[in-house]
Amino acid sequence: YLELPDVIKAVGYVEDVQWFVEKQGGLCRCCCCCKDRRRRQDRRTSSTSGDSESAVSEEEEDFWEHYEQREFDSFAFPPGVLCPAMICCSVPPSEGEEAEVAPGVPSFPRRSRLDQKNCWDSADGAGIKVRGPGYLQDRKKCESKSPMLVLDGAQLLRGRDLESYSNSSKCCFRGNGFSLILNFRLPDVQLVISWSVAEGADWLDTPQGLQFRRFVYEMSAEDRSRRLKLIARVLEGSFMLKQAVGSKPAIIGNQCSIQYFRHQDSLEASMDMGDSSIGRRLRGLLDGSSVLELFILLEGLNPAELPERLLGGLTLCRVDVASLAS
């Protein structure tokens, strides 16, 4: 089970876990551990009163028999009855344990098997809702098409002082056509993601393609920051984590400063998230306990820029920054 500080770290703020503290001594019906604790208390009450009748009713037994055949996520318990078992996650590595990396093998590779950890992969964006063609009038969203850009790769770097990744010697994503690079400068680590435009892409003359072209070549830094959005979604993780993260888009420029570095074959957005809530929350998710998807897109502010479409996506597969080689 996660300790309370880990819950706060994963969620990113304290207010939504105050009930967690308040309910620690209480009893609920949302997990098997609470069921056993309830039964033990009922037995003690029964033996004290001398009542020979069983303290656990048939209705109670039927409930738990039905419940134990289902997953936690198939029950929508309100926060008032949520208990620690519902935030159970994979067993964390023991303190001081470091993942061994063979010589010549990258410490942050692309996923090659389903159960692989500390790796990245593409994300298709299935089920992600974006602004529809008439959103400015009817406020309706629609499911996005597949991401427009092709994922080149991702890299994790210790520290957070590399303002321009594309201008540094560590840049290893050149040579795949025009690239869009996002440099997430988190409190103690940098996550760099690169996507590129595929040759002969079929969206170049669509409203989304024209907006992307204006974003790269015509917009000012302020206009870019008004449109660049991030969506995070937990694919595999605890019930509490999924509810806390959700899949609501966030305008990155509203929460941190963004610097743009444009080259002939690339545009880099360097986001200083060290002191922002979005940076702390994203860093808290890199503890090896979840499979996380990240998507970027441009917000449509007028009818000519709708419907929206995802620009790029990335899957982070149970990435634990502490276990990766420096």
Side-chain angles (χ1 to χ4, degrees), residues 1-4 6-7 11 17 19-20 24 72 82-90 237-241 289:
Y1 297 118
L2 288 174
E3 299 293 338
L4 182 59
D6 295 323
V7 177
V11 176
V17 293
W19 54 264
F20 184 90
Q24 283 297 300
F72 284 125
L82 196 61
C83 82
M86 296 192 72
I87 58 169
C88 178
C89 66
S90 59
S238 66
F239 173 86
M240 178 182 173
L241 198 59
S289 65

Side-chain angles (χ1 to χ4, degrees), residues 6-301:
D6 295 323
V7 177
I8 295 174
K9 177 182 67 173
V11 176
Y13 46 89
V14 180
E15 289 79 6
D16 281 3
V17 293
Q18 289 300 321
W19 54 264
F20 184 90
V21 181
E22 297 168 0
K23 293 294 177 179
Q24 283 297 300
L27 296 175
C28 64
R29 296 180 54 170
C30 61
C31 73
C32 300
C33 64
C34 292
K35 173 194 67 172
D36 294 337
R37 184 166 50 177
R38 179 189 295 271
R39 286 175 173 172
R40 288 194 297 270
Q41 185 185 54
D42 289 341
R43 290 193 188 100
R44 287 195 298 269
T45 304
S46 176
S47 61
T48 303
S49 62
D51 189 357
S52 60
E53 183 178 356
S54 174
V56 183
S57 65
E58 292 182 2
E59 180 182 358
E60 181 92 345
E61 293 287 352
D62 291 340
F63 173 85
W64 289 114
E65 182 179 358
H66 176 62
Y67 174 78
E68 289 169 350
Q69 297 174 359
R70 305 185 66 175
E71 298 291 337
F72 284 125
D73 287 356
S74 63
F75 279 80
F77 292 104
V81 295
L82 196 61
C83 82
M86 296 192 72
I87 58 169
C88 178
C89 66
S90 59
V91 179
S94 57
E95 293 187 9
E97 182 180 352
E98 293 285 342
E100 294 186 2
V101 181
V105 177
S107 59
F108 192 46
R110 185 163 192 158
R111 180 167 58 181
S112 58
R113 62 179 189 278
L114 290 178
D115 60 344
Q116 188 174 353
K117 299 180 181 181
N118 290 324
C119 58
W120 56 270
D121 204 350
S122 58
D124 59 11
I128 294 293
K129 298 285 187 177
V130 297
R131 293 186 174 189
Y135 180 84
L136 300 180
Q137 288 76 36
D138 55 26
R139 317 301 289 182
K140 290 184 179 180
K141 293 189 174 184
C142 62
E143 188 169 334
S144 174
K145 295 182 179 180
S146 59
M148 298 162 56
L149 305 178
V150 178
L151 178 63
D152 294 328
Q155 191 172 5
L156 276 175
L157 304 172
R158 297 287 186 183
R160 55 177 309 276
D161 298 327
L162 189 61
E163 290 187 355
S164 176
Y165 174 84
S166 57
N167 286 327
S168 72
S169 59
K170 296 183 179 181
C171 183
C172 59
F173 298 129
R174 294 190 178 96
N176 295 318
F178 185 86
S179 299
L180 177 64
I181 300 173
L182 263 63
N183 182 2
F184 295 86
R185 296 165 59 200
L186 305 178
D188 62 344
V189 70
Q190 292 186 219
L191 171 64
V192 183
I193 313 170
S194 175
W195 296 271
S196 61
V197 178
E199 185 177 353
D202 59 0
W203 48 262
L204 294 176
D205 296 325
T206 65
Q208 299 85 8
L210 296 176
Q211 183 191 22
F212 178 67
R213 184 174 298 177
R214 291 195 301 273
F215 178 82
V216 173
Y217 296 107
E218 301 175 12
M219 290 185 188
S220 64
E222 182 180 356
D223 288 337
R224 288 170 179 162
S225 298
R226 289 176 56 205
R227 286 171 167 80
L228 188 60
K229 296 198 292 189
L230 173 70
I231 298 177
R233 179 173 65 174
V234 176
L235 275 186
E236 298 177 18
S238 66
F239 173 86
M240 178 182 173
L241 198 59
K242 289 181 179 180
Q243 296 301 310
V245 175
S247 59
K248 186 178 180 180
I251 301 291
I252 303 175
N254 290 344
Q255 303 193 39
C256 66
S257 62
I258 307 178
Q259 291 179 279
Y260 296 92
F261 302 92
R262 188 160 72 87
H263 306 276
Q264 182 177 357
D265 58 350
S266 68
L267 173 67
E268 176 186 353
S270 178
M271 298 160 288
D272 187 1
M273 296 182 170
D275 297 325
S276 66
S277 60
I278 188 174
R280 291 191 296 269
R281 293 182 68 181
L282 183 57
R283 174 61 182 88
L285 294 171
L286 302 180
D287 62 352
S289 65
S290 61
V291 176
L292 177 70
E293 285 185 326
L294 298 177
F295 300 97
I296 58 163
L297 67 158
L298 302 179
E299 183 165 88
L301 299 179

